[in-house]
Amino acid sequence: MSEYAPEYSTKERVLFLIKHLLWAIPLVVSTKLWFLPWLKAYGEQSHCYDYGFMSGTESLFYGFFVGIPMSMVLLIVLIEGPRMLKVFRLEQNPLPGEKVFRPTKYQYGVRAKLKPYAVIVILILLVGFSIRSVFWAKDMIKMTESSELPVCQLQSE
């Protein structure tokens, strides 16, 4: 067994880039053209919406401060979780047969587990940030309730 992990060939690198551009470009375009304008319009009138258990303003604040960090946690766990479990089980990083982009020596034992431990620390920090953000969101919602809000002009759908 070689001391270095196998590298992607130039053709594999190009295919990797194309594959990820095929989903990333439409996501960025749709976000800029549709989602952000909708979010701006919703944000200006969020105080007018009532969903029974929370208002539109509450949904915005909790969505930004709690939802986004927790979504990041979920995404990282879904993408990196299975790989991290294999690294912990095999105590090897990169995993056997896993290709890399630049020359990378195999690491074994505790050294192999350092990157997964760093990811776990980041996940814990994000969860902690989300928990703390619940209180920040509550404070900001109270501040917006006391300010004068524009008159609601909801469009009928």
Side-chain angles (χ1 to χ4, degrees):
M1 181 178 215
S2 174
E3 179 177 346
Y4 287 89
E7 291 184 54
Y8 284 108
S9 68
T10 305
K11 180 182 176 185
E12 289 171 323
R13 290 173 195 238
V14 169
L15 288 174
F16 182 86
L17 179 66
I18 290 170
K19 180 176 90 172
H20 289 290
L21 285 176
L22 285 175
W23 67 263
I25 290 174
L27 179 66
V28 169
V29 168
S30 62
T31 300
K32 284 187 114 4
L33 292 180
W34 293 293
F35 179 72
L36 292 178
W38 170 83
L39 185 63
K40 182 178 184 220
Y42 182 83
E44 292 170 353
Q45 296 290 316
S46 66
H47 62 282
C48 300
Y49 295 93
D50 184 19
Y51 301 112
F53 59 94
M54 82 172 26
S55 70
T57 304
E58 289 172 323
S59 68
L60 275 178
F61 280 108
Y62 287 120
F64 283 127
F65 289 108
V66 181
I68 291 175
M70 287 307 291
S71 297
M72 289 172 57
V73 168
L74 182 63
L75 192 63
I76 291 170
V77 166
L78 289 175
I79 293 171
E80 281 295 314
R83 185 184 179 285
M84 287 179 3
L85 291 174
K86 289 178 187 173
V87 169
F88 280 125
R89 194 171 352 113
L90 296 175
E91 296 186 348
Q92 177 181 339
N93 191 21
L95 294 169
E98 184 178 60
K99 291 190 173 186
V100 295
F101 286 100
R102 58 190 167 134
T104 307
K105 284 187 176 184
Y106 284 112
Q107 296 176 333
Y108 301 96
V110 176
R111 288 184 59 96
K113 295 179 183 180
L114 288 178
K115 287 182 184 175
Y117 280 135
V119 171
I120 290 171
V121 167
I122 290 169
L123 292 174
I124 291 169
L125 290 172
L126 282 170
V127 169
F129 179 77
S130 289
I131 292 169
R132 177 63 183 110
S133 295
V134 170
F135 302 104
W136 287 335
K138 282 182 185 178
D139 292 343
M140 289 187 183
I141 291 166
K142 285 179 186 174
M143 286 190 293
T144 61
E145 288 173 352
S146 63
S147 64
E148 194 166 313
L149 299 171
V151 177
C152 294
Q153 297 176 358
L154 298 176
Q155 297 174 349
S156 60
E157 294 178 20

